[in-house]
Amino acid sequence: MGMTGQRYSGEVNGPVEQRRSGVGRVLACLRLAAVSAVIGAALAALVVGVILKDVPVLATGGGVLALLVLLAFIGGRRGAGRDAPPARRTALARIEDLRATGGETADVPVTFRLTVAPEPEDERPAYRVKISQSVNLVDIPAYRPRGIAVVEYHPEKPWDVRIVTRPTPEWSRRAEEAQIDSAPESTLVRDPDGGAGAWCLLVLVGLLAGAALVVLSSRGELFASGDAGGSAAKESSSSSASSSSASRTFSTSTTVSGPSSSLLTFGRMRVTAMELEARVDSAYVTSLRIEDHRMAVRGDSARPLAETVHLPSLPYELLPGLVREARATLGVREAESWRIDVTPGGGAGVGPRVRVTVSGTEGTAHLDADVTGRITDRRAVGVS
């Protein structure tokens, strides 16, 4: 089932949706700022009333706070009685990129960049989204860049997407046959409530504005105290950041030790690779070498992505089986050492090449496999 030639949200109804979203965000900001200012003013009235022993001011601040609590309680009761949100919809999505963010358990948190292609009856164009989801170590090789996955999303919250790890046979078949074009970066959707820092800053500004209004209407000594506090808050909240990037080559390695230190131990290869990825700050390398107790990577940031190896998508859980296969079938009875070399494929659309080399008293032999663990070539001892 082909899905090329998708229409995109940024091209079809982007201006209307952006206008509606902008108006809604402005109204939400104004409402939040007003409530924060009222709360700040009520709290300041309580403090000023206690300091000045002014009963009317103290009673006003306490009464406003009590009213706000009552309104919040009533609003919560109404919200609980609303209709349930619409059911999630199932769709196909193209995996643009993925990155494992670490973890030493069987489930690894992975950040996905997806192009979601809703079904035609949903009347929603394709769009991009960035999500984070835990994936079992054994299932990670099934998710590769430019691959197709089955997802579920909320019709009214398109950013709320999750990958279906066990789809039905029908959706599995559709995912195998589908071809989905990448949506433009301009169609990326985000959770409008995801900017927690901006909302917190708005609440803080509202609280300070309401408190300052009450303080400014009080006596001079309170004004001086409030002015000093406002300056300190402004100074503590200022920050600056800078970043730079440049082309670079890099190489690093690590040696494992301790109980069960062999990299053939289940899960150890992936954890070690993620540590090296964090060390070099890049998921794309030009070569990966794995030995019994050592792993090393080399890379060049100037290389095109088609000429690199994507560390998170390698089938680390299948590599120990290839080592056992090489030891048992290539004529090396007592293998003294083994080595796995992973290098980029020979061209566009060709996955990385995996070579397993074993050495012993009989000599050296190797086998080649693709990124799915399928053996493509064998060279036993004595075969040139």
Side-chain angles (χ1 to χ4, degrees):
M1 178 184 64
M3 290 190 180
T4 58
Q6 294 279 351
R7 296 181 304 161
Y8 304 116
S9 58
E11 303 168 356
V12 179
N13 54 3
V16 176
E17 291 188 355
Q18 290 176 3
R19 193 156 51 244
R20 292 176 178 174
S21 177
V23 172
R25 289 177 66 86
V26 169
L27 294 177
C29 289
L30 293 175
R31 183 169 57 251
L32 182 61
V35 173
S36 302
V38 172
I39 294 175
L43 292 174
L46 286 176
V47 174
V48 170
V50 170
I51 294 176
L52 301 180
K53 299 180 180 179
D54 190 332
V55 176
V57 174
L58 181 63
T60 301
V64 171
L65 285 179
L67 179 61
L68 289 175
V69 171
L70 178 61
L71 292 176
F73 176 75
I74 295 175
R77 293 291 298 271
R78 288 183 177 179
R82 291 175 182 173
D83 295 336
R88 302 178 73 94
R89 304 283 181 86
T90 304
L92 298 179
R94 172 189 170 100
I95 301 174
E96 304 293 347
D97 190 21
L98 70 158
R99 178 188 293 268
T101 56
E104 299 183 359
T105 61
D107 293 328
V108 177
V110 180
T111 299
F112 291 90
R113 287 185 177 271
L114 306 173
T115 289
V116 180
E119 291 296 284
E121 56 268 21
D122 290 346
E123 298 182 351
R124 180 184 296 275
Y127 62 91
R128 283 207 182 195
V129 68
K130 181 179 179 181
I131 66 170
S132 181
Q133 181 171 332
S134 295
V135 180
N136 192 277
L137 283 170
V138 178
D139 296 331
I140 285 183
Y143 303 105
R144 300 188 300 275
R146 298 179 295 279
I148 305 299
V150 180
V151 300
E152 289 184 346
Y153 72 96
H154 270 299
E156 297 181 359
K157 300 178 180 179
W159 58 85
D160 186 5
V161 178
R162 67 178 182 87
I163 293 178
V164 181
T165 56
R166 296 292 183 269
T168 63
E170 171 65 17
W171 278 103
S172 297
R173 180 188 62 79
R174 295 177 63 177
E176 293 175 358
E177 299 174 355
Q179 295 180 356
I180 300 176
D181 293 338
S182 296
E185 285 289 346
S186 60
T187 64
L188 180 68
V189 297
R190 297 182 176 89
D191 185 353
D193 298 328
W199 293 110
C200 290
L201 180 60
L202 182 61
V203 170
L204 176 61
V205 171
L207 290 172
L208 292 178
L213 183 62
V214 173
V215 171
L216 287 174
S217 63
S218 301
R219 299 186 179 183
E221 58 272 17
L222 292 179
F223 171 77
S225 176
D227 183 65
S231 300
K234 181 177 179 181
E235 180 180 356
S236 64
S237 64
S238 62
S239 62
S240 63
S242 63
S243 62
S244 63
S245 60
S247 298
R248 64 188 179 94
T249 59
F250 55 85
S251 63
T252 187
S253 64
T254 186
T255 302
V256 297
S257 59
S260 302
S261 61
S262 173
L263 287 172
L264 294 179
T265 303
F266 181 79
R268 178 60 65 88
M269 283 189 188
R270 183 172 297 278
V271 171
T272 305
M274 294 305 99
E275 292 174 354
L276 292 180
E277 176 187 341
R279 186 182 302 177
V280 301
D281 193 26
S282 176
Y284 295 91
V285 300
T286 55
S287 68
L288 168 66
R289 172 165 290 188
I290 306 173
E291 297 172 304
D292 196 17
H293 298 281
R294 182 176 180 272
M295 182 179 293
V297 296
R298 298 177 64 88
D300 183 352
S301 61
R303 285 279 193 93
L305 295 184
E307 299 177 10
T308 61
V309 175
H310 189 244
L311 288 176
S313 61
L314 290 178
Y316 299 99
E317 293 72 30
L318 303 179
L319 299 184
L322 293 178
V323 174
R324 290 191 293 269
E325 178 73 11
R327 284 174 165 177
T329 63
L330 298 182
V332 182
R333 296 181 180 177
E334 296 293 335
E336 298 174 354
S337 64
W338 59 269
R339 184 179 74 248
I340 301 174
D341 292 293
V342 183
T343 53
V350 180
R353 185 182 69 173
V354 180
R355 170 163 290 186
V356 180
T357 304
V358 292
S359 301
T361 56
E362 296 85 356
T364 301
H366 71 265
L367 60 80
D368 294 335
D370 59 21
V371 74
T372 65
R374 182 177 61 88
I375 298 175
T376 59
D377 188 28
R378 299 175 188 265
R379 288 292 186 271
V381 174
V383 178
S384 58

